[in-house]
Short mmCIF file of all heavy atoms in Angstrom, two decimals:
data_model
loop_
_atom_site.label_atom_id
_atom_site.label_comp_id
_atom_site.label_asym_id
_atom_site.label_seq_id
_atom_site.Cartn_x
_atom_site.Cartn_y
_atom_site.Cartn_z
N LEU A 26 31.50 9.60 16.47
CA LEU A 26 30.38 10.57 16.63
C LEU A 26 29.03 9.91 16.56
O LEU A 26 28.84 9.13 15.59
CB LEU A 26 30.52 11.64 15.57
CG LEU A 26 31.67 12.56 15.62
CD1 LEU A 26 31.67 13.58 14.44
CD2 LEU A 26 31.73 13.35 16.95
N LYS A 27 28.19 10.20 17.47
CA LYS A 27 26.77 9.79 17.32
C LYS A 27 26.02 10.80 16.45
O LYS A 27 26.16 11.96 16.74
CB LYS A 27 26.13 9.61 18.70
CG LYS A 27 24.73 9.20 18.63
CD LYS A 27 24.19 8.84 20.07
CE LYS A 27 22.76 8.54 20.12
NZ LYS A 27 22.04 8.03 19.00
N ASP A 28 25.36 10.32 15.47
CA ASP A 28 24.60 11.23 14.50
C ASP A 28 25.53 12.27 13.94
O ASP A 28 25.22 13.41 13.81
CB ASP A 28 23.45 11.87 15.20
CG ASP A 28 22.40 10.86 15.62
OD1 ASP A 28 21.97 10.05 14.75
OD2 ASP A 28 22.01 10.81 16.78
N GLY A 29 26.75 11.80 13.46
CA GLY A 29 27.73 12.69 12.90
C GLY A 29 27.22 13.49 11.70
O GLY A 29 27.42 14.68 11.60
N LEU A 30 26.51 12.82 10.85
CA LEU A 30 25.94 13.53 9.63
C LEU A 30 24.94 14.63 10.01
O LEU A 30 25.02 15.71 9.55
CB LEU A 30 25.35 12.55 8.65
CG LEU A 30 24.83 13.17 7.35
CD1 LEU A 30 26.01 13.92 6.65
CD2 LEU A 30 24.21 12.12 6.47
N ALA A 31 24.03 14.26 10.92
CA ALA A 31 23.07 15.27 11.37
C ALA A 31 23.82 16.49 11.99
O ALA A 31 23.46 17.64 11.77
CB ALA A 31 22.11 14.65 12.40
N ARG A 32 24.85 16.24 12.79
CA ARG A 32 25.57 17.32 13.41
C ARG A 32 26.31 18.13 12.38
O ARG A 32 26.35 19.39 12.46
CB ARG A 32 26.56 16.73 14.44
CG ARG A 32 25.83 16.10 15.65
CD ARG A 32 26.66 15.20 16.52
NE ARG A 32 27.81 16.01 17.05
CZ ARG A 32 28.70 15.43 17.92
NH1 ARG A 32 28.57 14.21 18.26
NH2 ARG A 32 29.72 16.17 18.36
N LEU A 33 26.91 17.51 11.37
CA LEU A 33 27.56 18.22 10.35
C LEU A 33 26.60 19.10 9.57
O LEU A 33 26.90 20.31 9.33
CB LEU A 33 28.24 17.19 9.39
CG LEU A 33 28.91 17.85 8.15
CD1 LEU A 33 30.11 18.80 8.55
CD2 LEU A 33 29.43 16.74 7.20
N VAL A 34 25.52 18.52 9.11
CA VAL A 34 24.56 19.25 8.33
C VAL A 34 24.02 20.42 9.13
O VAL A 34 23.96 21.59 8.59
CB VAL A 34 23.37 18.36 7.84
CG1 VAL A 34 22.20 19.19 7.25
CG2 VAL A 34 23.91 17.31 6.86
N ASP A 35 23.68 20.24 10.35
CA ASP A 35 23.23 21.35 11.18
C ASP A 35 24.25 22.44 11.34
O ASP A 35 23.91 23.64 11.28
CB ASP A 35 22.77 20.78 12.56
CG ASP A 35 21.93 21.74 13.32
OD1 ASP A 35 21.00 22.38 12.68
OD2 ASP A 35 22.08 21.80 14.51
N SER A 36 25.52 22.08 11.54
CA SER A 36 26.54 23.07 11.73
C SER A 36 26.81 23.88 10.47
O SER A 36 27.15 25.07 10.59
CB SER A 36 27.83 22.40 12.24
OG SER A 36 28.39 21.64 11.21
N ILE A 37 26.64 23.32 9.35
CA ILE A 37 26.76 24.08 8.08
C ILE A 37 25.54 24.91 7.87
O ILE A 37 25.69 26.08 7.50
CB ILE A 37 26.97 23.10 6.87
CG1 ILE A 37 28.27 22.35 7.03
CG2 ILE A 37 26.92 23.84 5.54
CD1 ILE A 37 28.46 21.23 6.00
N ALA A 38 24.37 24.43 8.11
CA ALA A 38 23.10 25.15 7.82
C ALA A 38 22.97 26.42 8.63
O ALA A 38 22.29 27.35 8.16
CB ALA A 38 21.95 24.27 8.10
N VAL A 39 23.56 26.51 9.80
CA VAL A 39 23.36 27.67 10.65
C VAL A 39 24.45 28.82 10.29
O VAL A 39 24.32 29.89 10.86
CB VAL A 39 23.50 27.35 12.12
CG1 VAL A 39 22.44 26.40 12.53
CG2 VAL A 39 24.86 26.85 12.52
N VAL A 40 25.36 28.56 9.44
CA VAL A 40 26.35 29.52 9.06
C VAL A 40 25.71 30.62 8.25
O VAL A 40 24.97 30.35 7.26
CB VAL A 40 27.54 28.90 8.32
CG1 VAL A 40 28.54 29.91 7.76
CG2 VAL A 40 28.24 27.88 9.20
N ASP A 41 25.98 31.91 8.57
CA ASP A 41 25.46 32.98 7.82
C ASP A 41 25.88 32.90 6.33
O ASP A 41 27.07 32.72 6.07
CB ASP A 41 26.03 34.30 8.38
CG ASP A 41 24.99 35.12 9.17
OD1 ASP A 41 23.86 34.74 9.22
OD2 ASP A 41 25.38 36.18 9.68
N GLY A 42 24.99 33.09 5.48
CA GLY A 42 25.26 33.09 4.02
C GLY A 42 25.04 31.80 3.36
O GLY A 42 24.98 31.74 2.14
N VAL A 43 24.94 30.68 4.10
CA VAL A 43 24.71 29.35 3.53
C VAL A 43 23.20 29.34 3.09
O VAL A 43 22.36 29.35 3.98
CB VAL A 43 25.12 28.19 4.46
CG1 VAL A 43 24.69 26.89 3.81
CG2 VAL A 43 26.62 28.22 4.80
N GLN A 44 22.96 29.17 1.80
CA GLN A 44 21.62 29.11 1.26
C GLN A 44 21.08 27.76 1.06
O GLN A 44 19.93 27.52 0.98
CB GLN A 44 21.53 29.95 -0.02
CG GLN A 44 21.79 31.43 0.20
CD GLN A 44 21.75 32.24 -1.05
OE1 GLN A 44 21.46 31.71 -2.13
NE2 GLN A 44 21.98 33.48 -0.95
N TRP A 45 22.03 26.78 0.88
CA TRP A 45 21.54 25.44 0.48
C TRP A 45 22.59 24.40 1.00
O TRP A 45 23.77 24.48 0.74
CB TRP A 45 21.44 25.40 -1.01
CG TRP A 45 20.87 24.15 -1.59
CD1 TRP A 45 19.96 23.32 -1.08
CD2 TRP A 45 21.13 23.64 -2.89
NE1 TRP A 45 19.69 22.32 -1.93
CE2 TRP A 45 20.36 22.48 -3.10
CE3 TRP A 45 21.99 24.03 -3.97
CZ2 TRP A 45 20.43 21.71 -4.28
CZ3 TRP A 45 22.02 23.30 -5.11
CH2 TRP A 45 21.27 22.14 -5.30
N VAL A 46 22.04 23.36 1.60
CA VAL A 46 22.85 22.16 2.03
C VAL A 46 22.14 20.99 1.44
O VAL A 46 20.98 20.76 1.76
CB VAL A 46 23.00 22.03 3.54
CG1 VAL A 46 23.89 20.89 3.89
CG2 VAL A 46 23.52 23.38 4.16
N ALA A 47 22.91 20.20 0.66
CA ALA A 47 22.25 19.06 0.00
C ALA A 47 23.04 17.77 0.26
O ALA A 47 24.28 17.79 0.40
CB ALA A 47 22.14 19.29 -1.49
N LEU A 48 22.30 16.75 0.41
CA LEU A 48 22.92 15.38 0.58
C LEU A 48 22.43 14.50 -0.65
O LEU A 48 21.61 13.60 -0.48
CB LEU A 48 22.40 14.72 1.83
CG LEU A 48 22.59 15.48 3.11
CD1 LEU A 48 21.66 15.01 4.20
CD2 LEU A 48 24.04 15.42 3.51
#
Side-chain angles (χ1 to χ4, degrees):
L26 292 177
K27 180 170 175 23
D28 295 308
L30 182 59
R32 292 167 60 178
L33 174 65
V34 171
D35 197 40
S36 69
I37 295 170
V39 299
V40 173
D41 253 357
V43 174
Q44 294 178 3
W45 185 30
V46 182
L48 306 161

